[in-house]
Amino acid sequence: MEEIIKEYDRERKKLDSFATTLNTLISSIMISEGIAAHSIVSRVKDRSSLEKKVIEKLKYEKLSDVTDVVGVRIITHYSDEVDKIAEIIEREFSIDRKNSIDKRKSLKPNAFGYLSLHYVISLNSDRCKLTEYKAFKGLNAEFQVRSILQHAWAEIEHDTGYKTENSVPTPIRRQFSRLAGLLEIADEVFINIRNSLDKYQSETDELFQTDRAQEINIDKITLKSFLSNSPIVKDMCDEIARMNAGLIMEDIEIDDSMLNDLYSIGIKTIGQLESELIEYKNLTLKRINNLIGSIVGSDRILSKQLKSGSLSWPITILPLCFTQVFAATQLSLDELKEHFAKIRPVMDEERVSKLASQLKNLVSQD
């Protein structure tokens, strides 16, 4: 053990660098493959943990025999993403088959435990030829890949100290089994929900190409499709860009507050939104241009970006400003203040009053 610890102390800086490099490398590869992990964490086993492991196992002769000195843990949102990441690891790294294990396959059907994929890897020969990776030739690391729910099980399992079925007291064993089963079912249900949302998005996009688009209820997905497909939205975005010297309209991210704003003024279907947007087009454009002008005018960096034609603005400013001017045409000043105080509780009374007055002035000038 003494020789292993000495080697560990000598190589510690290199091991730290290796862990960081692996984190950066797998992160960039996953991004290029379109896979967004929940988290990627790398670490080097600390000295005391290494000492404990070497003493307990009594089989290590040198540091490289300990395959998890450097570790990278990848937590996915969905369990089926584990296999996608496995394909990447198999393709991009050299795999130590003897020390790698897929615990999802090794677990008996009637047993319980956490389902995780463990790979012991090293950099392949082609990558080791590159200058930035030469120093890590011959080093091993362990990749652990599992879903958020699989990770939750592993953490609870680790916290309780009961890692095998036989170690759990018989009266409590059934509770462990039920929990493991629930987590597996939850993983499958989350995948089904994701797939259903993807299908709903696809069906919504197709529906926008038909006469039935007007009947669609507004939600995050349908509002995003509307902003992407509506001719009136495109026309207004072109007008905003023209009036603001080439401002780029993009970045469609829908948040709950935007939906709440529309619901608060009684706009609940795409047909309602489109018809009212057409009627209040000019007022909405005035509000947008005034808002952009006031924000950009008070920010030197944004002003510089606008002049250079590199400033982008989210399309979601359009429904935001529409709901404001629509409310201002329907409500008295006092009612408008109450309206904004209700839907924007984070705004103080002075800001609410100022916003309401600005909007009433805007609609009265039209």
Side-chain angles (χ1 to χ4, degrees):
M1 185 187 76
E2 185 177 345
E3 290 303 315
I4 291 175
I5 297 303
K6 283 182 179 179
E7 185 180 358
Y8 170 86
D9 290 338
R10 288 195 305 270
E11 299 292 316
R12 181 57 199 257
K13 288 185 177 180
K14 183 190 287 187
L15 294 172
D16 285 331
S17 181
F18 187 40
T20 301
T21 298
L22 285 177
N23 191 313
T24 303
L25 178 58
I26 193 66
S27 296
S28 62
I29 294 173
M30 286 173 58
I31 289 172
S32 69
E33 296 282 334
I35 302 175
H38 172 262
S39 65
I40 301 177
V41 179
S42 58
R43 62 99 184 105
V44 175
K45 189 180 289 290
D46 63 50
R47 203 173 190 272
S48 59
S49 297
L50 179 61
E51 289 176 342
K52 182 180 179 181
K53 183 165 188 172
V54 171
I55 291 172
E56 287 179 349
K57 298 294 183 180
L58 293 176
K59 67 176 183 179
Y60 302 118
E61 296 181 1
K62 55 186 182 297
L63 185 64
S64 59
D65 293 337
V66 186
T67 56
D68 65 343
V69 175
V70 173
V72 179
R73 178 176 295 158
I74 304 171
I75 309 298
T76 68
H77 291 98
Y78 303 98
S79 58
D80 62 349
E81 292 174 332
V82 172
D83 289 321
K84 295 178 183 178
I85 295 170
E87 291 177 6
I88 291 174
I89 294 173
E90 293 263 0
R91 184 183 72 230
E92 298 290 339
F93 300 91
S94 294
I95 311 297
D96 178 350
R97 300 290 176 185
K98 181 180 177 182
N99 292 299
S100 300
I101 181 171
D102 188 345
K103 293 194 175 185
R104 301 171 302 169
K105 297 177 181 178
S106 64
L107 199 66
K108 296 178 181 178
N110 63 341
F112 64 83
Y114 83 87
L115 309 177
S116 183
L117 180 61
H118 292 218
Y119 275 117
V120 175
I121 63 93
S122 58
L123 297 178
N124 59 40
S125 57
D126 288 339
R127 190 159 272 128
C128 285
K129 293 175 183 177
L130 302 175
T131 303
E132 61 268 36
Y133 299 117
K134 281 182 180 179
F136 307 125
K137 184 177 181 179
L139 293 182
N140 295 324
E142 182 184 71
F143 277 118
Q144 292 183 7
V145 191
R146 53 189 184 235
S147 72
I148 293 176
L149 292 182
Q150 291 165 355
H151 181 61
W153 171 270
E155 290 296 293
I156 294 170
E157 189 179 61
H158 181 271
D159 186 58
T160 60
Y162 295 104
K163 294 189 175 182
T164 64
E165 185 175 7
N166 293 331
S167 69
V168 178
T170 303
I172 303 173
R173 192 173 296 172
R174 180 168 172 76
Q175 294 182 50
F176 266 82
S177 296
R178 290 167 63 196
L179 176 59
L182 284 172
L183 290 177
E184 284 193 52
I185 291 171
D187 249 334
E188 292 177 3
V189 173
F190 276 127
I191 291 173
N192 290 337
I193 290 172
R194 180 202 62 196
N195 292 341
S196 295
L197 287 170
D198 289 343
K199 182 181 179 182
Y200 179 64
Q201 175 74 73
S202 177
E203 290 174 345
T204 298
D205 288 339
E206 291 177 5
L207 202 56
F208 266 97
Q209 309 306 317
T210 70
D211 294 336
R212 293 181 57 203
Q214 304 294 307
E215 306 167 14
I216 301 173
N217 289 324
I218 292 175
D219 55 40
K220 279 190 175 182
I221 290 176
T222 58
L223 182 56
K224 183 174 181 178
S225 290
F226 173 75
L227 294 175
S228 300
N229 295 286
S230 171
I232 181 63
V233 171
K234 183 181 184 305
D235 180 51
M236 293 178 74
C237 286
D238 289 343
E239 183 68 12
I240 294 165
R242 186 188 65 77
M243 297 177 71
N244 289 279
L247 181 75
I248 303 166
M249 301 294 290
E250 55 184 12
D251 181 30
I252 305 175
E253 279 301 324
I254 310 298
D255 60 32
D256 291 337
S257 65
M258 195 169 302
L259 297 175
N260 292 337
D261 286 355
L262 289 170
Y263 296 157
S264 71
I265 58 173
I267 306 296
K268 296 183 179 180
T269 69
I270 293 299
Q272 284 179 291
L273 175 57
E274 187 167 54
S275 62
E276 298 292 359
L277 195 56
I278 292 171
E279 182 175 349
Y280 291 93
K281 174 184 173 181
N282 292 333
L283 274 175
T284 302
L285 286 173
K286 284 183 180 180
R287 172 58 182 159
I288 291 173
N289 287 316
N290 288 346
L291 186 59
I292 291 175
S294 64
I295 294 174
V296 173
S298 61
D299 190 303
R300 185 182 301 175
I301 295 176
L302 293 180
S303 180
K304 187 175 181 180
Q305 289 177 332
L306 181 61
K307 290 178 181 177
S308 64
S310 61
L311 179 62
S312 62
W313 212 273
I315 293 177
T316 46
I317 193 176
L318 196 150
L320 170 67
C321 288
F322 159 71
T323 56
Q324 290 180 351
V325 298
F326 184 87
T329 61
Q330 307 297 314
L331 305 174
S332 68
L333 181 58
D334 288 339
E335 289 172 334
L336 193 59
K337 290 177 182 178
E338 290 179 10
H339 171 77
F340 286 128
K342 183 178 179 180
I343 67 172
R344 290 287 183 273
V346 295
M347 291 177 64
D348 58 42
E349 186 176 344
E350 183 180 351
R351 289 177 62 198
V352 167
S353 180
K354 184 177 180 180
L355 175 59
S357 297
Q358 286 176 343
L359 289 169
K360 291 302 289 186
N361 288 335
L362 177 69
V363 300
S364 65
Q365 294 169 9
D366 189 58

